[in-house]
Amino acid sequence: QIKLYESGDQRVMKSLEGLKRLATEMKDSLLRGRVDRLGPLLEEDWELKKQLDSRVSNPFLERISKTARAYGATGGKILGAGGGGYFLFYCDPENRQRLEKALRKAGCLLERFSFEPDGLQTWRVGETGVVS
């Protein structure tokens, strides 16, 4: 991806511009409490990310994404890199249990998360195991 960016590959440049725009739109949606807009924005982000490199996705991830949309997700995208990470989906609350059941059946492990109102927080654990 870096080489394609450095060479000015137009497909990559257009995708990166779109990803930047979407980050701003997602932030705006969250700040305005419009979480219902996240699904389509996540989906658009996922489609742009796949245009950066054919190895971003694979048949398993495509099947999971298709399953999620069929069971109520309005969009989703991969978080993380290098063969690890999470798929993040958004759905309306009334579809959540149905979506979770379908994803478990498809072989997914589900993790809960929440938004942190104070932003990212980190801790250091010293040699004694004390958090500072």
Side-chain angles (χ1 to χ4, degrees):
Q1 290 179 30
I2 292 171
K3 288 178 185 176
L4 289 172
Y5 168 77
E6 289 173 343
S7 73
D9 182 283
Q10 288 304 303
R11 181 180 50 107
V12 169
M13 301 306 284
K14 185 176 178 182
S15 294
L16 290 172
E17 288 170 12
L19 291 169
K20 180 180 176 183
R21 175 186 51 79
L22 286 170
T24 300
E25 288 185 39
M26 285 183 212
K27 176 184 175 188
D28 182 62
S29 296
L30 288 170
L31 291 173
R32 294 177 188 273
R34 295 287 318 273
V35 294
D36 59 307
R37 291 186 62 220
L38 289 180
L41 294 172
L42 290 170
E43 193 67 25
E44 187 178 350
D45 186 288
W46 174 233
E47 293 303 319
L48 287 170
K49 184 71 174 169
K50 290 188 292 187
Q51 292 177 25
L52 294 175
D53 189 322
S54 63
R55 296 170 293 177
V56 167
S57 190
N58 60 46
F60 174 73
L61 294 176
E62 291 302 315
R63 182 171 56 84
I64 295 304
S65 180
K66 185 177 179 180
T67 298
R69 287 191 316 276
Y71 284 88
T74 57
K77 68 168 279 186
I78 284 287
L79 306 174
Y86 294 85
F87 225 130
L88 173 67
F89 293 108
Y90 178 83
C91 71
D92 292 323
E94 64 266 13
N95 293 324
R96 182 175 164 184
Q97 288 183 342
R98 191 174 82 132
L99 175 59
E100 287 180 354
K101 183 178 179 180
L103 290 173
R104 282 190 184 96
K105 186 175 180 181
C108 296
L109 300 173
L110 305 182
E111 294 284 338
R112 299 227 183 259
F113 81 96
S114 61
F115 291 106
E116 175 56 52
D118 296 324
L120 177 66
Q121 296 184 18
T122 61
W123 301 270
R124 280 186 193 222
V125 178
E127 291 180 26
T128 63
V130 176
V131 176
S132 59

